[in-house]
Amino acid sequence: MTKVGAVFAHEDLEQIRGMGLTPEKVLAQIEAFSKGFPFLQLDRPCTVQDGIEVLAPEHIASYGETLNRARLPGRAMKFVPASGAASRMFRLLLAFHREHETIRAQEVAAGAQKGDPDCKDMLRFMKGIKAFAFYEDLKAVMARDGLDAESLIRNGEFKEILEYLLTSKGLDLTNLPKGLIKFHDYGELASRTPFEEHLVEAVEYVRDQRGRTRLHFTVSPEHEGKIKRYIETALRRFERPDVLFDVAFSTQSPSTDTIAVDMDNKPFRDDRGRLVFRPGGHGVLLENLDRLGGDIVFIKNIDNVLPDHRKEDTYIFKKALGGLLVGLQEKVFFHLGNLLAAGVEDIRVREASAFAREHLAFPVPEELSREEKIARLVSRLNRPIRVCGMVKNEGEPGGGPFWVRHKDGTLSRQIVEASQVDMNSPGQRKIWESSTHFNPVDLVCALRDRQGKPFPLQEFVDPDTGFISTKSMEGRDLKALEVPGLWNGAMARWNTVFVEVPLSTFSPVKTLLDLLRKEHQP
């Protein structure tokens, strides 16, 4: 490895140590840029009956009862990555506001008629503006300054509308975390943000027999105080004698940031000459999840929420996924107990082997000795478990479920992102494009062993599943390093089960216009 002193000056070392990093770790990151990451070897997509289970309708209710065995004693909680900023939601509006001195509906409509996709989307926003849950707030903040939003909209004048919507002059929505944007309008009742929808939703499948509902949000440090104050107020509206919330927060540690490099793989420096570090991607949240010491943990993204009248399928299938996990965990513990007992009978080894093959896609070679079989089974069974909901692929960007072949020839079920696949290989691209299902980030995880001790989650990461992307800063290109993703490489060595869930449980809000879809309207 390159010597520290050959790369870093004294000021660099102070900066690195101030972030909680070590020079050696940063050097290893720099070398990762040069070495790169190997592509995964896709064998085939996971499909229904070949890697993806479909729950029989008559069994779904019983899974809910199984979940209760963990939920009622207080073993369950919900983990929501909520660090995302809302700026991406408003990218189109920001571009229009930045590039145009005036924004008139008539001119935008003319552009839309000529086929301009941005004008088409902008026209949708203009026509649907009153349907957004934050519209009344917009009217109020403009009226404070003597402006009539209704009149401006009627006249097709949108420059000031955008100014009060996007900037600190008004609602400043682009500088809020996505979880604090009002998503859903409940008429005479208060509109709800994603944070509030997650609170309401969690009650249905996390609440224990004492009424306690546990949630954990990961948030950005700059928004932590605002979010905590907001949720403290929100809890007063949703708590009742039989519903009490236990809400905790954590932030992404600076020690999980990764160094940026230039196109020659040399440390990238800003205009002041300081090293540039960037967030290491959502995979660094494994550290947050690990620190929780959780037991049965539901994981769901902050922006995938629905209003109350569309939550029923979400409740049904969250309970079903949770019940399937609890039942699977109980069987794992049963077989582990048999395998670890003194004088284990051959029939118990055969039963455990059949279970691992059928439920965990882990065949044990028959030619192994009895002791080797037991050792392999114990190693495989004694690890975290995740049950992942998968929806049918309808063109959403993102990862999906695949059978991945490893260097030793074995196969495992993995959630794979496009960046992990060699798209220059016709065969690999064909497999990728033949995927039938999409990852909606709908997971429930079992994070403790049969003694009730938390698994050391870092031991089950595949370190070769990070990736490198190209970004820009101050007008210069740079390379950024992302660590293995939370539900990709960070969970690569977990026991994994995929289950088909209906599209009605998946309605993420990636752009502002997504809120105009019928799923998010009253």
Side-chain angles (χ1 to χ4, degrees), residues 53 55 59-72 75-78 201 204-206 295-299 313-331 385-390 442-447 497-501:
E53 297 183 26
L55 303 181
H59 295 156
I60 288 177
S62 67
Y63 283 125
E65 292 304 311
T66 305
L67 173 63
N68 287 343
R69 295 205 288 268
R71 179 178 68 86
L72 294 179
R75 293 175 56 199
M77 69 177 303
K78 187 174 183 179
E201 185 186 303
E204 194 69 20
Y205 52 83
V206 172
D295 190 352
I296 303 298
V297 181
F298 291 84
I299 301 178
D313 283 352
T314 294
Y315 291 153
I316 290 170
F317 280 88
K318 278 289 190 183
K319 292 175 182 177
L321 296 181
L324 180 63
L325 176 86
V326 171
L328 187 64
Q329 183 193 55
E330 290 172 349
K331 291 172 185 172
I385 311 170
R386 58 175 175 163
V387 173
C388 313
M390 294 290 158
D442 190 0
L443 294 77
V444 57
C445 309
L447 305 183
V497 174
F498 294 145
V499 177
E500 185 177 78
V501 295

Side-chain angles (χ1 to χ4, degrees), residues 218-261:
T218 65
V219 299
S220 56
E222 64 269 27
H223 294 131
E224 184 177 10
K226 180 179 289 188
I227 290 170
K228 284 182 175 179
R229 291 189 295 273
Y230 184 89
I231 290 183
E232 186 177 332
T233 301
L235 293 182
R236 299 174 195 147
R237 299 207 309 273
F238 298 115
E239 285 195 328
R240 342 184 268 269
D242 61 335
V243 177
L244 302 170
F245 289 99
D246 183 350
V247 181
F249 305 88
S250 63
T251 60
Q252 186 172 315
S253 169
S255 65
T256 63
D257 287 357
T258 57
I259 193 167
V261 299

